[in-house]
Amino acid sequence: MSSGAAQFGRLERRGALLGLSGWQLGLIGGAVFVAVAAVRGAGGAGLAWAAPLWLLLLAAGFLSVGGRSVPAWAPVMTAWLRARASGRTRAASRPQTRPGVLKLPGLAGALELVPSDRLSGVLVVDRRAATVVAVARVRASGFLLDDDASQEHKVAAWGRVLGGLCQQAAVLRIQVLTTITAGGAAPARRWWREHCMTDDAGPAAVLADLLDEGIARATRREHLVAIAVRSPQGHRRLTAAVADAIAGVFAGVGDSLGAAELTVDGWLDEQDLARSVRRAYDPHTSFDDIDVHAPTPVGVAERWDRWQTGTTWHATYWVAEWPRTAIDPTFLQPLTTGNTGVRVVSLTAEPVPAREALRQIRRARAEYKADAAQRQRIGQVEDRSVQAEVEDLDRREAELVAGHGDLRFTGLVSVSAPEPEALTNACREVEADAARAMCDLVRLVGQQGAAHLAAALPLARSIR
């Protein structure tokens, strides 16, 4: 393995006591209280009579469904039932008549689009969240076929980009979004048939047949980088001077991307952004058919585990666990391919201030020590996974003390298909590809609308 190998930390699953959350301990305590009260009130008969209640509380405190505890499901189910009751799972979009405004389904309020001459693009202003976002279209010179030294150089350069973001207090998060579309040879096939086909036989026809065969295997990729910064104006409108200063921050990030051998082809303007938004909702629409004045779909409908926008079905996954062993920088390659539907791989990095990161680490270490003391008191053997999490905390603290930045990574994968059956096949394929990449995907349920907004749209939004 090359020297550029990296290792991710484990997903922390600690709780208030012995791995149990405060809500779980409350349910277990409630079960004990009901049982004791029943015994004192009516003896064994009272205990049997109250058994349905205290057994239900006990099961809710200990059992988990789909990797989540019962209390963890409560907010998801409550939000889903509330949305269903209020009719917010279905909506019809209205044509946008105001220029410089972007309204998205599932997003409260409107996003303001402020042109920036310095970037030759547009700034996306979310006054509710007090953030400003700019989106760059980037391309790389290649990575897979480079030698180990070149790969290590590029990985280190990308690390310097992320490290520089950690030093800028204004930067909230950066999103790297890759859209993979099956049938990347379609433009070449269409051009060949329109300009070079004179008959149905001969070498030209043979090459056309080869292009037809390559449609199912070839893929087309588009890479976007969205950067979100805090708005100095807070929830007020941006002045021209403030907008120009923020554009300078984005321009600096663009320069750092160039130093990492990533070519910035340009910042998205209002039309480019409208096309990207429309393609996120309906990726099977060609650019010629997209109306930049109507970037949102006609209607949307959210289901428990999928999201329908117009005539397209989507499903979004969360990367719950990254590879637990040392991996090569190309480990995500299986996820960036695909022969079924359209796939979007979104990786969001959110800088954590060093002081806050150290506070979290020390608090977590104190909780682990309290758990260890309690396990020793009751004679419970400590799990090896707990020791691994403590080792990750020690490593993170050592890196922070050495001056490195701390980043919180969120990985999302969105899959789109024109029909529910095709979506099922595409989901099955992406789950298999994730297993090859040694990533653990969890299909988000009860929040597919918000998940698709964070995964497929280049707006650097958080799903939390």
Side-chain angles (χ1 to χ4, degrees), residues 36 50 61 111 119 133-134 177 183 197 229 245 252 273 302 373 396:
V36 171
L111 303 177
L119 294 179
V133 178
L177 189 145
M197 284 288 294
V229 302
L273 181 64
E302 184 175 0
R396 285 179 57 198

Side-chain angles (χ1 to χ4, degrees), residues 364-386:
R365 182 181 285 111
E367 292 175 357
Y368 281 126
K369 288 183 178 179
D371 282 351
Q374 184 65 25
R375 288 191 181 92
Q376 186 176 8
R377 186 177 299 111
I378 65 178
Q380 183 179 356
V381 179
E382 187 174 67
D383 193 351
R384 182 65 185 88
S385 62
V386 176

Side-chain angles (χ1 to χ4, degrees), residues 256-387:
S256 64
L257 291 174
E261 299 188 27
L262 297 173
T263 303
V264 178
D265 289 333
W267 299 86
L268 300 190
D269 57 19
E270 187 171 349
Q271 291 188 347
D272 293 334
L273 181 64
R275 290 191 179 98
S276 295
V277 169
R278 189 70 179 93
R279 290 293 293 271
Y281 288 114
D282 191 1
H284 302 91
T285 301
S286 65
F287 278 103
D288 297 334
D289 299 331
I290 294 178
D291 182 2
V292 296
H293 300 292
T296 56
V298 175
V300 298
E302 184 175 0
R303 311 295 171 86
W304 176 246
D305 62 347
R306 60 191 61 193
W307 168 254
Q308 184 182 10
T309 58
T311 59
T312 305
W313 295 80
H314 312 270
T316 302
Y317 292 83
W318 169 53
V319 182
E321 284 276 7
W322 300 97
R324 301 180 183 179
T325 59
I327 41 85
D328 190 82
T330 61
F331 75 100
L332 281 179
Q333 179 65 17
L335 275 176
T336 58
T337 59
N339 297 325
T340 305
V342 177
R343 184 182 303 177
V344 180
V345 179
S346 173
L347 180 62
T348 302
E350 186 173 350
V352 181
R355 184 173 300 177
E356 175 64 23
L358 287 172
R359 187 183 300 113
Q360 294 174 0
I361 291 173
R362 288 161 185 166
R363 183 170 61 247
R365 182 181 285 111
E367 292 175 357
Y368 281 126
K369 288 183 178 179
D371 282 351
Q374 184 65 25
R375 288 191 181 92
Q376 186 176 8
R377 186 177 299 111
I378 65 178
Q380 183 179 356
V381 179
E382 187 174 67
D383 193 351
R384 182 65 185 88
S385 62
V386 176
Q387 300 177 12

Side-chain angles (χ1 to χ4, degrees), residues 17-278:
L17 182 65
L18 298 178
L20 301 175
S21 67
W23 284 104
Q24 288 178 287
L25 293 174
L27 290 171
I28 296 171
V32 174
F33 175 80
V34 171
V36 171
V39 170
R40 287 190 175 183
L47 181 65
W49 180 82
L53 179 56
W54 63 263
L55 283 176
L56 179 63
L57 292 173
L58 199 64
F62 279 111
L63 296 181
S64 63
V65 181
R68 295 185 186 181
S69 63
V70 173
W73 278 108
V76 176
M77 293 295 299
T78 301
W80 170 252
L81 293 175
R82 187 184 297 118
R84 291 275 294 182
S86 61
R88 287 186 287 109
T89 56
R90 292 179 178 270
S93 301
R94 298 179 180 178
Q96 296 181 192
T97 57
R98 292 174 53 195
V101 172
L102 182 62
K103 294 183 179 180
L104 301 176
L107 184 63
L111 303 177
E112 300 176 10
L113 306 180
V114 179
S116 172
D117 295 334
R118 186 168 184 175
L119 294 179
S120 298
V122 67
L123 305 179
V124 183
V125 182
D126 186 349
R127 294 174 60 190
R128 288 177 175 266
T131 61
V132 182
V133 178
V135 186
R137 181 178 286 109
V138 301
R139 55 184 171 87
S141 58
F143 188 85
L144 289 176
L145 299 181
D146 288 340
D147 54 34
D148 290 345
S150 298
Q151 289 186 355
E152 185 176 355
H153 171 73
K154 292 180 178 180
V155 170
W158 176 245
R160 286 192 293 271
V161 172
L162 296 179
L165 294 177
C166 291
Q167 303 301 321
Q168 301 186 50
V171 177
L172 280 176
R173 63 186 67 91
I174 179 171
Q175 176 192 23
V176 180
L177 189 145
T178 301
T179 303
I180 304 99
T181 306
R189 178 189 65 168
R190 183 168 54 253
W191 184 91
W192 183 265
R193 289 194 176 278
E194 291 177 354
H195 296 84
C196 301
M197 284 288 294
T198 57
D199 52 26
D200 295 333
V206 173
L207 182 55
D209 292 338
L210 292 176
L211 289 173
D212 289 341
E213 184 179 354
I215 292 299
R217 294 192 300 270
T219 57
R220 182 175 67 252
R221 297 181 182 88
E222 181 186 38
H223 307 282
L224 299 176
V225 175
I227 305 104
V229 302
R230 293 181 178 88
S231 173
Q233 294 290 100
H235 302 284
R236 296 175 292 170
R237 293 183 181 275
L238 291 183
T239 62
V242 172
D244 186 69
I246 293 176
V249 175
F250 293 130
V253 176
D255 294 339
S256 64
L257 291 174
E261 299 188 27
L262 297 173
T263 303
V264 178
D265 289 333
W267 299 86
L268 300 190
D269 57 19
E270 187 171 349
Q271 291 188 347
D272 293 334
L273 181 64
R275 290 191 179 98
S276 295
V277 169
R278 189 70 179 93

